[in-house]
């Protein structure tokens, strides 16, 4: 979901800055309470705001708040204000104060066919272009989010059946989307033609559940049924489940970053356990860029599985040489660079007893701006490390994401600005190595990247964007680029 913040101080400050999680359930008397639990399991996908919309057979009810899921939805009075046996929910993440309550999802609109609530994980790459066009034609936007564009497109469709109007809307949007929607009759799930962001279907006490990740099924004891497929729309009603694939069928290209950083390690994404894949990233890295050392130390929590994999493949003992303070939000949640740096220091401490006098293999999942890396390597030196060999369980991130992951623009991506030796010197390590692109694919069970038909969306590492970036070309480009520059 892209948001254009049009507040006076930080115009567009949260554009292209969001990653989100979605959940939906149909046919359960405690729909809202179960949705709250599902969102709690998806909290890592969005820590900034949460919302639930329920339907009680007659009316829709909506509660949307800034803050963590538990801050709002653990309260009995809030859940009681969300009656009904169907609900959809959303957790939202963005990096700045630009988030405003009216952007918090699910978004809801009264259409001529009845109410529609929609929650979106992903980002539309023509959202700004469509939005500008709609506004020019007289649309009045309540939020500054591109998700609202979808509501407008459904509302304006000239088709009569809801599903045809929804398909009409989807056929006009580009980019990444996993939607859950709720009408007065149906729970809807939809994935973009490439299946960039995940969406799974589960079953709980005879009811269907949709969620961004399987960890949200596990928390309520739901059974995983299957992934919603790329380009698939599912309609869940009293009559059961209906699946349609209205678009030309193309090979799926799920986002590789779900394995690298995004998803929770206990989730199964596209048939692979995330923890397992991350361990294999570490093992591949040990094979590609092994080094003589005394101890393998992860940057917790994101580097832990890869460090275990590296240790097992190399035979170098694994130790917790860095302790993480769990009472601090994710590093990226802090708006400015200065605060981000402070956040890193608050978050990690060296375990001197493990580090002192040792040659360390330091493992992290990725380098984005380099902020974490500089701090952590310095921390290792200050704790007496003899050598610091920094290993990154993903390739260099050279290109920004436009599909719903929080990455800065190119100028702020360390690997877009520097070569390997420069990065090594910048972070202050004795050696630095990244996992190769083929290593990533091998860890996922392929012989390597199929360049003719890549199995994943991996533009962050390759610059190969799988959809048009309409908002970055033509009339939209100037506006988008200036927003991106301001936002970084
Ligand atoms: P940086 O300090 O800017 O290089 O960021 C790298 C750290 O941020 C790594 O430790 C990652 O675990 C984490 N990270 C990577 N991608 C993201 C993301 N999209 N959102 C938040 N954190 C991230």
């Amino acid at each position: 979901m892209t948001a254009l913040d049009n507040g006076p101080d930080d115009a567009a400050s949260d554009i292209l800055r969001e990653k989100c999680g979605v959940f939906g359930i149909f046919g359960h008397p405690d729909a809202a309470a179960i949705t709250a639990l599902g969102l709690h399991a998806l909290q890592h996908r969005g820590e900034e705001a949460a919302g639930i919309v329920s339907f009680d057979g007659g009316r829709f009810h909506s509660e949307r708040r800034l803050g963590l899921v538990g801050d709002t939805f653990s309260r009995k009075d809030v859940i009681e204000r969300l009656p009904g046996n169907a609900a959809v929910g959303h957790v939202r993440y963005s990096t700045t104060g630009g988030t405003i309550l009216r952007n918090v999802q699910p978004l809801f609109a009264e259409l001529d066919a009845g109410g529609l609530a929609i929650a979106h994980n992903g980002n539309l790459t023509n959202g700004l272009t469509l939005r500008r066009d709609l506004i020019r034609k007289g649309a009045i936007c309540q939020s500054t989010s591109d998700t609202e564009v979808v509501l407008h497109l459904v509302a304006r469709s000239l088709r009569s059946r809801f599903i045809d109007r929804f398909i009409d809307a989807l056929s006009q949007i580009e980019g990444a989307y996993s939607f859950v929607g709720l009408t007065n009759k149906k729970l809807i799930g939809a994935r973009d033609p490439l299946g960039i962001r995940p969406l799974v279907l589960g079953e709980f006490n005879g009811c269907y559940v949709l969620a961004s990740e399987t960890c949200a099924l596990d928390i309520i004891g739901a059974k995983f049924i299957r992934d919603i497929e790329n380009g698939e729309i599912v309609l869940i009603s009293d009559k059961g489940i209906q699946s349609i694939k209205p678009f030309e069928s193309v090979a799926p290209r799920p986002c590789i970053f779900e394995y690298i950083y995004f998803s929770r390690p206990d989730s199964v994404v596209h048939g692979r356990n995330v923890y397992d894949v991350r361990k294999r990233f570490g093992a591949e890295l040990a094979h590609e860029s092994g080094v003589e050392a005394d101890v393998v130390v992860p940057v917790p929590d994101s580097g832990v599985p890869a460090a275990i994999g590296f240790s097992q493949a190399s035979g170098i003992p694994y130790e917790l040489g860095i302790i993480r303070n769990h009472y601090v939000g994710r590093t990226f949640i802090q708006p400015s660079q200065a605060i981000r740096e402070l956040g890193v220091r608050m978050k990690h401490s060296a375990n001197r007893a493990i580090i002192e006098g040792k040659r360390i293999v330091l493992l992290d999942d990725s380098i984005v701006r380099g902020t974490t890396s500089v701090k952590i390597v310095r921390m290792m030196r200050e704790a007496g490390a003899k050598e610091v060999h920094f290993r990154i369980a993903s390739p260099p991130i050279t290109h920004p994401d436009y599909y719903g992951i929080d990455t800065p623009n190119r100028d702020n991506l360390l690997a877009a600005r520097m070569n390997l030796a420069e990065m090594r010197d910048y972070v202050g390590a004795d050696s630095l190595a990244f996992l190769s692109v083929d290593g990533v694919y091998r860890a996922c069970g392929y012989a390597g990247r199929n360049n003719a038909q890549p199995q994943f969306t991996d533009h962050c590492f390759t610059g190969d964007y799988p959809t048009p970036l309409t908002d970055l070309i033509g009339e939209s480009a100037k506006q988008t680029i200036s927003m991106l520059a301001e936002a970084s």
Side-chain angles (χ1 to χ4, degrees):
M1 174 189 70
T2 305
L4 283 174
D5 181 22
N6 52 5
D9 297 328
D10 52 354
S13 55
D14 60 349
I15 187 175
L16 301 176
R17 295 263 146 194
E18 296 163 63
K19 50 183 199 174
C20 302
V22 294
F23 188 92
I25 182 162
F26 188 89
H28 197 286
D30 295 318
I34 290 166
T35 301
L37 284 171
L39 293 182
H40 176 67
L42 297 173
Q43 187 77 83
H44 59 287
R45 297 184 76 88
E47 299 178 359
E48 195 188 60
I52 297 178
V53 171
S54 70
F55 181 66
D56 67 5
R59 287 182 54 201
F60 287 87
H61 305 268
S62 172
E63 292 285 334
R64 302 176 302 152
R65 302 279 172 85
L66 300 180
L68 298 175
V69 177
D71 295 343
T72 302
F73 294 102
S74 57
R75 284 172 37 199
K76 201 163 161 263
D77 59 315
V78 175
I79 295 298
E80 281 171 358
R81 289 201 294 272
L82 292 164
N85 68 0
V88 287
H90 187 263
V91 284
R92 180 179 192 272
Y93 175 102
S94 91
T95 52
T96 73
T99 294
I100 43 180
L101 194 54
R102 62 197 161 89
N103 279 343
V104 177
Q105 300 196 22
L107 297 183
F108 176 79
E110 286 289 358
L111 311 180
D112 58 357
L116 172 63
I118 193 158
H120 175 198
N121 173 208
N123 185 67
L124 305 186
T125 50
N126 66 342
L128 290 174
T129 309
L130 288 170
R131 182 189 165 84
R132 190 176 312 113
D133 197 43
L134 284 162
I135 289 174
R136 235 184 246 140
K137 289 177 181 153
I140 297 166
C141 290
Q142 298 290 323
S143 79
T144 58
S145 148
D146 67 352
T147 309
E148 193 176 4
V149 164
V150 180
L151 289 175
H152 281 283
L153 295 176
V154 175
R156 277 159 192 254
S157 170
L158 299 175
R159 312 291 294 272
S160 51
R161 287 195 319 155
F162 168 78
I163 183 59
D164 294 326
R165 299 168 70 148
F166 190 58
I167 292 168
D168 224 11
L170 296 193
S171 66
Q172 295 171 66
I173 62 178
E174 295 167 354
Y177 55 82
S178 281
F179 288 122
V180 294
L182 188 63
T183 70
N184 53 14
K185 292 199 185 69
K186 291 183 170 81
L187 172 68
I188 304 145
R191 259 180 109 185
D192 65 75
L194 294 167
I196 295 175
R197 303 257 76 84
L199 189 64
V200 298
L201 176 71
E203 187 248 297
F204 176 65
N205 287 355
C207 307
Y208 284 112
V209 179
L210 293 166
S212 292
E213 291 181 39
T214 58
C215 65
L217 304 182
D218 296 336
I219 192 175
I220 57 170
K223 195 174 114 223
F224 169 76
I225 299 179
R226 63 177 178 87
D227 289 314
I228 302 301
E229 289 177 24
N230 56 308
E232 181 180 10
I233 301 173
V234 291
L235 300 159
I236 295 162
S237 69
D238 290 336
K239 296 187 193 104
I241 186 165
Q242 184 194 356
S243 159
I244 45 179
K245 290 190 183 166
F247 306 115
E248 190 194 337
S249 160
V250 291
R253 282 187 74 179
C255 178
I256 192 66
F257 227 77
E258 293 287 341
Y259 292 117
I260 285 164
Y261 173 79
F262 231 16
S263 294
R264 230 170 73 163
D266 54 333
S267 284
V268 175
V269 175
H270 310 116
R272 300 177 191 88
N273 170 250
V274 174
Y275 175 77
D276 217 45
V277 173
R278 287 185 189 160
K279 267 176 68 180
R280 277 185 271 135
F281 286 156
E284 287 290 337
L285 192 53
H287 294 132
E288 287 182 358
S289 301
V291 61
E292 291 239 332
D294 304 310
V295 63
V296 177
V297 170
V299 178
D301 292 326
S302 52
V304 168
I308 293 173
F310 192 107
S311 164
Q312 289 175 355
S314 64
I316 303 170
Y318 167 89
E319 296 284 2
L320 293 179
I322 300 170
I323 305 302
R324 175 171 167 193
N325 183 330
H326 281 98
Y327 303 97
V328 183
R330 284 189 171 203
T331 319
F332 270 39
I333 214 132
Q334 310 296 344
S336 73
Q337 184 72 5
I339 300 291
R340 246 191 318 263
E341 286 178 24
L342 189 65
V344 173
R345 239 174 290 149
M346 285 161 65
K347 193 162 132 183
H348 294 116
S349 308
N351 185 359
R352 183 175 273 275
I354 295 297
I355 304 299
E356 197 160 19
K358 304 262 178 56
R359 296 169 302 169
I360 306 171
V361 178
L362 185 64
L363 237 304
D364 203 359
D365 66 297
S366 58
I367 293 182
V368 184
R369 294 178 176 84
T371 319
T372 311
S373 313
V374 170
K375 297 281 168 196
I376 296 280
V377 172
R378 191 188 305 149
M379 189 185 288
M380 296 296 92
R381 300 256 186 233
E382 286 169 1
K386 205 156 87 188
E387 291 171 20
V388 181
H389 300 282
F390 202 16
R391 295 291 177 271
I392 307 299
S394 64
I397 298 177
T398 49
H399 290 74
D401 182 80
Y402 300 113
Y403 301 107
I405 296 183
D406 168 37
T407 52
N409 69 21
R410 271 206 99 178
D411 299 342
N412 292 315
L413 289 172
L414 195 70
R417 297 195 287 127
M418 297 182 189
N419 64 30
L420 188 66
E422 288 166 341
M423 283 192 274
R424 180 202 59 212
D425 294 345
Y426 178 80
V427 303
D430 293 284
S431 74
L432 171 67
F434 291 82
L435 182 60
S436 69
V437 170
D438 279 330
V440 167
Y441 280 78
R442 279 196 299 275
C444 292
Y446 298 108
R449 184 180 198 264
N450 178 351
N451 291 328
Q453 178 71 69
Q455 304 91 324
F456 292 111
T457 288
D458 58 9
H459 51 276
C460 289
F461 313 124
T462 59
D464 173 13
Y465 293 98
T467 72
L469 299 177
T470 303
D471 286 343
L472 292 181
I473 52 176
E475 201 192 337
S476 306
K478 232 170 106 199
Q479 185 189 352
T480 311
I481 285 164
S482 73
M483 284 170 177
L484 285 169
E486 277 180 60
S488 288

